[in-house]
Amino acid sequence: MSHHSGFVSIVGKPNVGKSTLINQLIGEKLSIVTPKVQTTRHRVYGIWNDENTQIIFSDTPGIIQNPAYELQEKMNDFVKESFEDADLILFITEFGEEKNPSEFLVKKLNSVKIPVIVLLNKVDKAKDASTISESVAFWHNQLPNAEILPISALHTLNTELILPKIKSLLPEMPPYYDKEQFTTLSERFFVNETVREKILLNYQKEIPYSVEVVTESFKEEDHIIRIESTIYVERNTQKGILIGHKGQKIQKVGTEARLDLEKFFNKKIFLNLYVKVKKDWRSNDRDLKNFGYTNK
């Protein structure tokens, strides 16, 4: 029996449900999910396997219309790069987005020579079926060559239709990765992202967007993993806010991250967090490169 494999890039504007969907399809928490925009900063790879298929999903940052920092430019570059190595594009839009679609994404999706599936997400928010039909008609007009599927990633509405549709469109190829593998990313990446997720959930305003997390040490023993991670901020004032009175706020972040990491790694975790200042790192090319914001 033939085997089909391919790379599927998930693209869309910020906060439309890309990360929620990839986590659901893979069955693992690969991408962090928060109500805040720009939660995803890197391309996050998840691998779905069955006997005759391997799908390598790439979750991308939400496209930013007017980047304010070099960091946001790099995030947009990840999205543009994702079009170059994909065998299929999943464009996730949300119900109501037709009022302000991304001109860049619409233009790009109309120019690609590979299959495009539009996932009209969050249709559970629609008042009735007629408004969903109007939204579907809008996207048919915008992307006439794409197939459109109304879904709700959060409530698993129609999501069972996605994998069979992707499988039918992938090229005949042997698997690219070991069949037991569900991601190409390192353990340290998941530590960094888990800590950053807790910062996004526990702080407001500029703080969550001013931090970067780097895991300096990841030592796995028989019954415990010992981890040391540094949280970088741009200002001394941000450092004080992040740590909080008598270290209470950073301790809360560490506890919440540790609990999630213990579930993810299925092992006891010892997590030490440090906070350092790296001034204006979001606009510094060298810092961005050191933090992994580079394009292939």
Side-chain angles (χ1 to χ4, degrees):
M1 188 176 291
S2 62
H3 189 281
H4 293 258
S5 296
F7 292 82
V8 176
S9 289
I10 304 175
V11 302
K13 290 172 72 173
N15 220 27
V16 294
K18 299 184 300 297
S19 298
T20 299
L21 181 69
I22 192 173
N23 289 344
Q24 187 185 116
L25 293 176
I26 298 298
E28 296 280 355
K29 187 178 178 182
L30 296 178
S31 290
I32 61 174
V33 179
T34 79
K36 292 184 171 71
V37 297
Q38 300 174 33
T39 295
T40 301
R41 285 179 175 174
H42 296 267
R43 290 182 73 180
V44 178
Y45 294 91
I47 305 171
W48 184 90
N49 292 288
D50 69 8
E51 185 179 357
N52 304 308
T53 315
Q54 183 173 89
I55 306 171
I56 303 97
F57 287 102
S58 169
D59 183 19
T60 63
I63 194 75
I64 301 168
Q65 304 277 38
N66 299 298
Y69 298 93
E70 184 69 19
L71 168 63
Q72 294 176 342
E73 295 275 7
K74 297 292 186 183
M75 289 161 62
N76 277 351
D77 286 344
F78 286 141
V79 182
K80 296 170 185 176
E81 176 190 274
S82 73
F83 282 90
E84 298 172 6
D85 53 24
D87 296 294
L88 184 149
I89 301 287
L90 281 185
F91 170 49
I92 303 188
T93 181
E94 65 178 336
F95 178 76
E97 191 184 311
E98 58 272 12
K99 297 172 185 175
N100 184 30
S102 167
E103 294 180 6
F104 165 79
L105 286 175
V106 170
K107 183 177 180 181
K108 190 71 176 175
L109 290 166
N110 276 317
S111 70
V112 298
K113 306 300 182 185
I114 56 177
V116 175
I117 301 174
V118 178
L119 299 180
L120 178 57
N121 194 22
K122 305 183 184 180
V123 294
D124 51 292
K125 295 182 177 181
K127 293 180 180 179
D128 50 48
S130 65
T131 56
I132 297 175
S133 297
E134 290 171 6
S135 188
V136 170
F138 171 85
W139 288 109
H140 268 306
N141 183 60
Q142 292 286 306
L143 301 165
N145 296 321
E147 183 167 348
I148 299 171
L149 179 63
I151 68 163
S152 172
L154 185 63
H155 299 287
T156 65
L157 175 65
N158 286 341
T159 54
E160 77 281 0
L161 304 175
I162 299 171
L163 287 173
K165 175 53 64 176
I166 293 173
K167 289 167 67 174
S168 71
L169 294 169
L170 291 182
E172 188 172 331
M173 289 287 291
Y176 290 93
Y177 299 97
D178 187 284
K179 284 285 194 167
E180 299 301 314
Q181 195 170 343
F182 67 88
T183 185
T184 62
L185 299 166
S186 69
E187 292 94 343
R188 294 185 186 217
F189 177 86
F190 289 107
V191 175
N192 299 343
E193 288 292 272
T194 301
V195 173
R196 197 167 63 82
E197 179 187 60
K198 303 313 172 188
I199 294 170
L200 280 158
L201 293 171
N202 280 284
Y203 298 83
Q204 302 301 318
K205 298 181 179 178
E206 188 68 9
I207 295 295
Y209 302 102
S210 301
V211 305
E212 183 65 27
V213 184
V214 176
T215 295
E216 315 285 357
S217 175
F218 186 99
K219 296 178 180 178
E220 187 164 5
E221 301 173 9
D222 289 342
H223 304 292
I224 193 170
I225 303 174
R226 301 183 186 276
I227 302 169
E228 293 189 352
S229 300
T230 300
I231 303 168
Y232 289 96
V233 295
E234 293 189 307
R235 305 277 187 276
N236 278 312
T237 52
Q238 294 168 349
K239 179 179 179 179
I241 294 169
L242 193 66
I243 293 172
H245 181 62
K246 295 184 177 179
Q248 290 178 341
K249 296 204 75 173
I250 196 66
Q251 185 177 0
K252 185 172 185 287
V253 166
T255 299
E256 292 178 1
R258 177 180 58 78
L259 292 172
D260 273 15
L261 290 168
E262 286 181 342
K263 291 177 186 176
F264 186 81
F265 291 110
N266 196 27
K267 221 171 200 182
K268 185 174 175 60
I269 299 289
F270 176 82
L271 176 63
N272 241 345
L273 296 179
Y274 305 93
V275 183
K276 295 182 180 180
V277 176
K278 190 172 282 291
K279 188 176 179 182
D280 297 327
W281 69 264
R282 285 182 292 176
S283 299
N284 185 296
D285 278 336
R286 178 180 295 178
D287 289 337
L288 290 168
K289 184 176 181 180
N290 289 338
F291 287 149
Y293 296 100
T294 56
N295 301 99
K296 297 175 184 179

